[in-house]
Amino acid sequence: MRQVAALLIAVGVSVGLAPVGMPTAQAQSVGRTETMAKRETVSRMLKPISITFTDQRLEDVMSFIEQLTGAEMEIMWLDDRNPDGLDKEALITLTVKNVDALTLVEKVIAKAQFDTLSGGNSWQMSDTGAIQIGPKARLNDFRRVEIYDINDLLLEVPDFDNAPEFDLSQVLQSGQGGGGGGQSPFQDQNDNDEPSVPRSERADDLRALITELVEFDQWVDNGGDAASIRYWQGSFIVNAPDYVHRQIGGYRWWPARRSAQSAATVER
């Protein structure tokens, strides 16, 4: 892991290190504050809502959600400087019953999906704890490096399916003959064990699975430009926006009262 950190430092990436000039204790305090801010925002977004929107302006819908929850939202609107964004004038028709505000946001931005140039819409958490909402092309401007230890996923558990057979009849016949003979009652199956798959090959299979199931179009390996993934000594080094990291590793700081079933969904 030291080699990984050294490699990233060499290319100008800080991994779990205090910023220059900031004491370690102060950096840890900043990290805790950031985590608390994110948890508070999501906790507010878990407020249950039942409502019907009929041809309501998208800006009014998002303003309603923000005022109802009190959560800080950074919405990436379409404007003169940003040709790709959420259209404030897009009309939303939607009915939800007893869903949390975050689910409502997901449904609303899905309704506005065709108002973006490409890639669709999503949400992610900012460094300040606000929830960013907008086209993925805009969210991709906010990327970070995460290191995922995958040693447990690469562990190959042996399959003991070649146990010798015990021939009881042979033992009885030997006993009747009185000779003893010394022949073992166990019969060797003579099965040839399948060759072990190299760790690097198993890592490649896992990487292919991630890039196929998680935001396929965003990975450099698939022709995108938002996310990259590399294997290094038992870990994946992933440089990607937060909404991609969320689908790979989830949020460790997710509020405890969120049900396990909801928190385990792909989008969360």
Side-chain angles (χ1 to χ4, degrees):
M1 190 59 68
R2 290 181 180 177
Q3 292 174 303
V4 176
L7 175 64
L8 295 175
I9 292 173
V11 296
V13 178
S14 175
V15 181
L17 302 178
V20 177
M22 178 180 291
T24 302
Q26 184 179 353
Q28 292 175 346
S29 177
V30 171
R32 286 195 298 270
T33 302
E34 177 182 325
T35 298
M36 292 172 60
K38 291 178 178 179
R39 183 184 292 116
E40 176 63 23
T41 297
V42 171
S43 295
R44 293 175 181 271
M45 292 299 294
L46 298 183
K47 180 187 294 291
I49 299 176
S50 295
I51 193 170
T52 295
F53 297 113
T54 304
D55 289 338
Q56 296 291 322
R57 295 174 63 250
L58 179 58
E59 183 181 23
D60 295 336
V61 171
M62 300 305 289
S63 178
F64 165 79
I65 297 174
E66 186 172 16
Q67 292 179 22
L68 179 67
T69 63
E72 183 180 356
M73 298 166 61
E74 297 177 3
I75 305 175
M76 300 175 178
W77 297 112
L78 176 69
D79 54 37
D80 294 337
R81 294 179 299 174
N82 298 288
D84 194 6
L86 296 176
D87 185 358
K88 296 180 179 181
E89 302 302 323
L91 298 180
I92 302 298
T93 298
L94 179 67
T95 298
V96 296
K97 294 183 179 179
N98 197 32
V99 302
D100 56 61
L102 191 53
T103 298
L104 176 58
V105 166
E106 291 174 346
K107 291 181 178 296
V108 169
I109 61 178
K111 286 280 187 179
Q113 194 90 326
F114 299 104
D115 296 321
T116 57
L117 294 179
S118 61
N121 302 317
S122 190
W123 64 271
Q124 64 185 16
M125 302 303 300
S126 72
D127 292 339
T128 61
I131 180 170
Q132 297 175 325
I133 303 169
K136 294 175 184 178
R138 296 270 297 276
L139 297 177
N140 291 343
D141 292 337
F142 305 90
R143 281 178 269 190
R144 71 176 188 275
V145 173
E146 290 281 357
I147 299 177
Y148 296 93
D149 187 341
I150 61 169
N151 281 291
D152 57 336
L153 299 177
L154 299 180
L155 179 64
E156 189 173 30
V157 179
D159 186 6
F160 299 102
D161 60 352
N162 59 345
E165 291 184 358
F166 184 83
D167 191 343
L168 182 59
S169 62
Q170 179 180 350
V171 174
L172 295 176
Q173 290 175 2
S174 299
Q176 292 174 356
Q183 184 176 359
S184 172
F186 295 99
Q187 297 180 355
D188 189 1
Q189 297 300 300
N190 294 323
D191 291 337
N192 295 324
D193 294 335
E194 295 183 0
S196 176
V197 179
R199 282 172 60 90
S200 59
E201 186 174 332
R202 277 175 276 154
D204 287 340
D205 291 340
L206 182 57
R207 182 178 65 179
L209 187 64
I210 292 174
T211 56
E212 179 181 350
L213 299 180
V214 178
E215 300 293 345
F216 180 88
D217 294 333
Q218 305 299 329
W219 295 98
V220 172
D221 291 350
N222 299 331
D225 59 3
S228 63
I229 179 171
R230 293 293 180 268
Y231 174 68
W232 178 269
Q233 296 186 352
S235 296
F236 277 150
I237 304 175
V238 180
N239 183 15
D242 181 73
Y243 71 89
V244 173
H245 285 296
R246 180 178 77 245
Q247 297 178 63
I248 297 176
Y251 290 142
R252 290 187 293 270
W253 44 262
W254 194 264
R257 72 171 181 265
R258 183 73 173 183
S259 67
Q261 180 178 0
S262 299
T265 59
V266 174
E267 283 296 319
R268 303 294 167 79

